[in-house]
Amino acid sequence: MFSMVLVKRGEMTSDQIVALVLAIAGFIVVLIFAALFYGSSKGQDSIEACRLSVLTRATTPHAAQAAVPLACTTGKICVSKSGSSTACSQFLGEDGVISVKLDGKTDSDNARIIEKTSAEAMYQCWSMMGKGQLDLFGNAPELLVGSSGQATCVICSRVAYSDDIPLSVLSQVNLHSYLENALVPGSSGLTYLQAFTDKSINSFAGLQSAKPDSKINLNPENKKEQDLPKISGQTNGKQIAFVFSQVKPVSWERVLQNLGYAAVGSTFVISQVPGAGKVASALLFNPTGLLVTAVAGVTVAGGASWNAYEGQKAAAGYCGAFTSPNDKLKDGCSLVQAVNYNVGDINALCPGSIQGNP
Amino acid sequence: MNKKGDLVKNVLGILLTVLGLAVFFIGLSRLYSSHVNQESENAKRTIDVIMKKIDALPDGGSTQVVLQGFPGAENWYIVGWNKNDKDRPNKCFFNNCLCICKDDKNPEHGVDADSCQRNGFCRRIKLSPDIIYSYPEITSGVFKVGAYVPAGASGEGVAFNRVGVSCIPLANNLFDFNLNRLPVNYEFKGNSDFVSWSLHCPGLRYS
């Protein structure tokens, strides 16, 4: 007797081959999708990381807040005719530059593109930082830099303008008007002004008249102009920054009163019309809680130079109760505004410290 | 019966397992990178920006750079090392180099090559300059308590007119930084107000 031993080798059937090919093809598709998603959403990743870190810090007890870093990296936006991310020499050597191309048919169209870029940057900053109602710095200033009552800031983004943009475009930029009329993407029909304040507010004029006896007093101590803190107005090569600042003044109610508001916990938007003489160019907090103006010391030489800041004077803010884990320290004021990106102006606005990553 | 090739039936399962593990480890590495020491990353980014701006300078050119500080930046400083300095960090090898280093607050030695070797990031400058100068411009000031007092000075409270030190402290807000690519050397000059003498810098000189 003998037995036949059947030797079956690992021969693949057609079903197995098909399954294998489909699995490999599916794997490749997933990899491509992941690569595209990761590449395109890298910017969104950093925004969401910032937002998450803001929420985490705001809900952390004050004693531990300083240990929670803000994962907010300053955005870099280069606006140019060419659309190249290397067109702005201000960002030489820096990574992560986003380019905005001015491809409008007219100078007016291109000015709208600049306004759109600025409005989005400003609103994104405000939204990312919790719309000013989160207590982000707690007693962090005392822990981090040993100071109190001084504004602490996050530089949300820097917007630089390349030299190939003609003055005829830049001189038409009016962020004030854009905020009043343009709709915030994905906001169910709200303008930027409404998104910053209230959906019932349709214009800056309406903002003023809605408040009885409203009067903005940006010089509550009636200081002489020469005694007001100065901001240089230097353009540093046509670059502005959208800065979020927060402070816990002695009396935030007085801050609101000086802005003509009687309500508690109010948001506000302030704008100055370009070219309206010596108007407030930036807003500063001081430890006593008064909102002090700073008069621009800009001199426009022969009309040929351009101050990036001139067309973008707008600030949005909130004064009132913060969402804070500490009941005793939960009142204050927050502000987002465009500031000329230079050492003097930024450090005047942020004497506490600058948080986040460069 | 000797059945071979059973593995073929499990290829799909193996592929799915590999895919799942890959996604898991990628997610894990991203989670880790988001929690890596952000202060060190910011310092590294700062020195890299400076180096790129240096590389873009023509011979004889100069530029002023605005640098944004970061939380903890007040503990870091920038120092240049020459290729002839016998005490330079090993990271510089045989080149001139510019380093960003963390002050480890050691009262014995303060800021030196060891600090840079341990807690710093150095970038080699391969071109010909023999001398790297890096210093803040200080026009007046007084040594504060606890500061390093150089030989010849009478101790704390000594007023000085002009001091050059071979390192530039960073600030946690914005600060200016001048880069001069001179014919025979590079010059790095910080413009920030120097309010603290807690840093001990090599090559301190005063007048």
Side-chain angles (χ1 to χ4, degrees):
Chain A
M1 294 235 349
F2 64 92
S3 58
M4 285 182 67
V5 176
L6 279 174
V7 178
K8 293 183 74 176
R9 295 186 187 271
E11 192 173 309
M12 288 179 69
T13 66
S14 57
D15 288 344
Q16 289 169 336
I17 292 173
V18 168
L20 184 62
V21 169
L22 283 175
I24 292 172
F27 183 63
I28 292 171
V29 168
V30 167
L31 275 180
I32 292 171
F33 178 76
L36 287 172
F37 179 77
Y38 178 74
S40 65
S41 70
K42 213 169 184 181
Q44 282 303 112
D45 271 355
S46 63
I47 292 170
E48 290 308 316
C50 176
R51 206 189 301 269
L52 183 60
S53 68
V54 164
L55 285 171
T56 303
R57 179 182 268 205
T59 52
T60 299
H62 278 179
Q65 262 191 348
V68 179
L70 287 180
C72 301
T73 301
T74 301
K76 300 165 192 78
I77 303 170
C78 171
V79 181
S80 66
K81 290 275 278 181
S82 65
S84 168
S85 61
T86 57
C88 297
S89 57
Q90 301 92 326
F91 294 139
L92 179 63
E94 300 187 60
D95 296 327
V97 179
I98 298 169
S99 58
V100 172
K101 184 174 182 179
L102 298 182
D103 55 4
K105 293 179 182 174
T106 64
D107 288 345
S108 179
D109 291 341
N110 286 329
R112 299 295 88 75
I113 294 173
I114 292 175
E115 289 162 2
K116 177 175 181 285
T117 302
S118 294
E120 284 177 354
M122 185 173 170
Y123 186 72
Q124 186 177 83
C125 183
W126 188 241
S127 175
M128 211 161 56
M129 305 308 291
K131 300 190 177 180
Q133 298 186 29
L134 296 178
D135 182 4
L136 292 180
F137 305 120
N139 60 350
E142 285 87 355
L143 294 175
L144 291 173
V145 296
S147 64
S148 61
Q150 293 182 320
T152 305
C153 300
V154 173
I155 299 178
C156 295
S157 56
R158 294 157 53 192
V159 182
Y161 303 90
S162 73
D163 292 333
D164 65 0
I165 303 176
L167 192 61
S168 54
V169 170
L170 300 172
S171 59
Q172 293 189 51
V173 172
N174 186 344
L175 183 60
H176 159 104
S177 173
Y178 191 85
L179 293 178
E180 216 173 31
N181 300 302
L183 301 182
V184 179
S187 66
S188 305
L190 292 178
T191 64
Y192 281 97
L193 181 60
Q194 290 168 334
F196 277 121
T197 54
D198 183 84
K199 60 184 178 182
S200 66
I201 303 297
N202 294 317
S203 68
F204 283 97
L207 194 69
Q208 289 290 89
S209 62
K211 309 294 177 183
D213 299 323
S214 63
K215 180 180 175 183
I216 291 182
N217 178 10
L218 296 177
N219 184 6
E221 293 179 338
N222 294 315
K223 289 187 176 179
K224 294 179 183 175
E225 187 176 301
Q226 60 265 28
D227 295 330
L228 290 172
K230 299 289 189 292
I231 279 189
S232 68
Q234 290 175 2
T235 62
N236 192 42
K238 299 179 193 170
Q239 183 176 181
I240 60 171
F242 286 95
V243 180
F244 174 87
S245 57
Q246 192 171 81
V247 72
K248 291 184 178 164
V250 171
S251 170
W252 59 264
E253 290 88 350
R254 288 193 66 180
V255 173
L256 283 179
Q257 284 170 10
N258 291 333
L259 293 171
Y261 287 80
V264 172
S266 290
T267 56
F268 55 87
V269 180
I270 295 174
S271 170
Q272 301 92 36
V273 178
K278 290 182 181 176
V279 294
S281 296
L283 305 171
L284 302 177
F285 289 126
N286 70 19
T288 62
L290 299 176
L291 206 59
V292 181
T293 62
V295 177
V298 176
T299 52
V300 177
S305 62
W306 174 76
N307 183 347
Y309 182 63
E310 283 300 317
Q312 313 214 37
K313 294 176 187 173
Y318 168 84
C319 283
F322 289 150
T323 301
S324 168
N326 188 328
D327 285 339
K328 292 181 184 175
L329 295 171
K330 68 173 187 180
D331 298 333
C333 291
S334 304
L335 193 67
V336 63
Q337 62 179 315
V339 185
N340 277 317
Y341 188 74
N342 60 61
V343 173
D345 292 2
I346 296 286
N347 288 352
L349 184 65
C350 309
S353 69
I354 295 176
Q355 301 280 299
N357 307 318
Chain B
M1 219 184 246
N2 183 6
K3 295 182 73 176
K4 292 189 180 178
D6 285 346
L7 187 64
V8 173
K9 297 180 184 174
N10 298 315
V11 166
L12 187 58
I14 291 171
L15 275 175
L16 288 172
T17 303
V18 167
L19 178 61
L21 283 172
V23 169
F24 174 73
F25 283 113
I26 288 171
L28 205 62
S29 69
R30 287 192 65 191
L31 195 65
Y32 170 75
S33 64
S34 70
H35 284 87
V36 78
N37 190 341
Q38 197 60 53
E39 188 177 309
S40 294
E41 286 299 309
N42 286 333
K44 195 190 300 182
R45 198 176 300 162
T46 299
I47 192 70
D48 287 339
V49 167
I50 293 172
M51 288 308 299
K52 286 181 183 173
K53 291 192 188 293
I54 291 170
D55 290 341
L57 273 178
D59 285 340
S62 64
T63 187
Q64 186 182 65
V65 175
V66 174
L67 292 177
Q68 183 177 329
F70 47 89
E74 63 276 9
N75 297 320
W76 292 77
Y77 56 94
I78 291 171
V79 62
W81 299 92
N82 299 313
K83 61 184 179 185
N84 298 320
D85 286 335
K86 58 182 180 179
D87 294 329
R88 67 182 183 279
N90 293 334
K91 292 178 181 178
C92 295
F93 293 95
F94 300 108
N95 301 102
N96 301 317
C97 68
L98 191 68
C99 300
I100 187 168
C101 315
K102 187 166 184 177
D103 182 12
D104 59 8
K105 310 287 187 191
N106 188 326
E108 294 296 320
H109 59 76
V111 163
D112 62 3
D114 282 341
S115 304
C116 290
Q117 183 64 28
R118 277 198 310 276
N119 303 317
F121 302 98
C122 294
R123 300 292 180 262
R124 280 167 274 169
I125 300 175
K126 296 176 184 174
L127 298 181
S128 60
D130 292 327
I131 303 172
I132 306 288
Y133 288 116
S134 57
Y135 53 90
E137 255 324 288
I138 311 223
T139 54
S140 65
V142 177
F143 287 117
K144 294 185 191 260
V145 175
Y148 170 73
V149 178
S154 59
E156 64 187 62
V158 173
F160 56 89
N161 291 320
R162 181 189 162 98
V163 176
V165 297
S166 296
C167 66
I168 301 170
L170 302 188
N172 61 7
N173 45 19
L174 255 62
F175 55 98
D176 282 329
F177 194 93
N178 287 337
L179 305 177
N180 298 318
R181 190 160 166 165
L182 303 172
V184 295
N185 58 53
Y186 289 169
E187 187 178 63
F188 307 90
K189 193 188 299 184
N191 289 330
S192 57
D193 290 334
F194 196 66
V195 296
S196 168
W197 280 89
S198 61
L199 294 178
H200 307 164
C201 299
L204 181 71
R205 56 190 184 279
Y206 69 103
S207 62

